[in-house]
Amino acid sequence: MNYPSFYDKVEKFVLFDELSSFLGATVDGKVEISYLDCVKLAGHSCPTVAGSYIIAKEAKRELEITKRSAVKISFKEPRDSGVTGVIGSVIGYIFGCSDEGGFSGIGGRFNRKNLLSFGNSTQDAMVEFECINSNKKVGFNLDTSVVPTDSQMPQLMQKALGGLASSQELKSFQELWQGRVENMLLNKELWDKIAKKI
């Protein structure tokens, strides 16, 4: 599989997964999740997927999350509102949290079901995380404008969408698109501005 080389430079997640350990899926229960994994899940790489990854990184740091399925994640907007569902898919995947269709566990352990919810309109932040054991909470809003779009992007995108872009224009569009994603993910000093804590 060929992909932009900067994906491999993005800081990975390493989390303990009790279910994986119990069933022998991993020897030590440690699960490594990369940005490339999230790209495969979403089917693409964009500022929203990158922003979701950054929010998860900031939540992990703020709440000192070391295990999967150890937090409840709630979104203010409904799942089908804008890019909410995409963000929820990426963050839920990283932390091993599912909605009502998720795994309900074995013998009262390893539950992943109902740890991801949408349409919680009373909360202030776009997404909130709550540790199941400690009830510690943190919320974030996503601001991808911290890394602005290149001025050439709108015209190139229109040409690409309309099938009117030359091969060079299409290449330029793709490089500018992924260049913005790269700037978001590799400049860690921007993470707390992209993922604004509420």
Side-chain angles (χ1 to χ4, degrees):
M1 178 177 174
N2 295 320
Y3 53 87
S5 61
F6 78 85
Y7 291 5
D8 292 331
K9 299 177 184 176
V10 180
E11 183 180 280
K12 297 178 181 179
F13 288 85
V14 179
L15 296 164
F16 180 71
D17 192 309
E18 289 184 326
L19 177 61
S20 175
S21 178
F22 179 73
L23 296 177
T26 55
V27 174
D28 55 8
K30 288 183 180 178
V31 174
E32 188 177 89
I33 297 168
S34 67
Y35 181 65
L36 178 58
D37 292 328
C38 295
V39 170
K40 291 176 181 178
L41 173 76
H44 67 290
S45 168
C46 70
T48 297
V49 175
S52 306
Y53 196 89
I54 291 167
I55 286 176
K57 275 289 181 183
E58 290 293 286
K60 179 181 184 296
R61 181 179 60 82
E62 285 285 336
L63 297 178
E64 300 178 324
I65 301 167
T66 59
K67 292 166 47 177
R68 299 185 85 202
S69 310
V71 291
K72 291 181 179 179
I73 304 167
S74 63
F75 283 84
K76 184 172 186 175
E77 299 298 327
R79 187 198 314 270
D80 59 357
S81 174
V83 294
T84 302
V86 176
I87 298 171
S89 294
V90 173
I91 294 176
Y93 164 66
I94 291 169
F95 288 122
C97 299
S98 298
D99 57 15
E100 64 276 6
F103 182 64
S104 59
I106 305 170
R109 299 173 62 192
F110 317 122
N111 176 64
R112 300 189 179 200
K113 189 175 182 178
N114 293 322
L115 298 181
L116 179 65
S117 62
F118 298 87
N120 301 294
S121 59
T122 58
Q123 68 186 49
D124 294 325
M126 180 197 77
V127 57
E128 289 186 356
F129 300 81
E130 180 180 358
C131 290
I132 294 171
N133 291 335
S134 69
N135 295 322
K136 287 173 61 179
K137 287 184 180 182
V138 67
F140 296 96
N141 287 336
L142 176 61
D143 184 3
T144 59
S145 71
V146 171
V147 178
T149 302
D150 188 278
S151 59
Q152 300 176 70
M153 180 59 73
Q155 184 179 8
L156 287 171
M157 177 176 269
Q158 284 303 315
K159 281 191 170 184
L161 286 171
L164 302 174
S166 67
S167 59
Q168 183 55 51
E169 286 173 328
L170 182 59
K171 183 180 178 183
S172 295
F173 162 70
Q174 293 168 343
E175 288 176 348
L176 289 173
W177 184 274
Q178 293 304 321
R180 184 181 179 206
V181 173
E182 180 178 6
N183 285 335
M184 290 175 65
L185 289 167
L186 298 189
N187 291 298
K188 289 181 65 176
E189 69 275 9
L190 298 178
W191 285 7
D192 63 350
K193 299 176 180 64
I194 294 168
K196 293 184 176 180
K197 187 171 76 167
I198 302 301

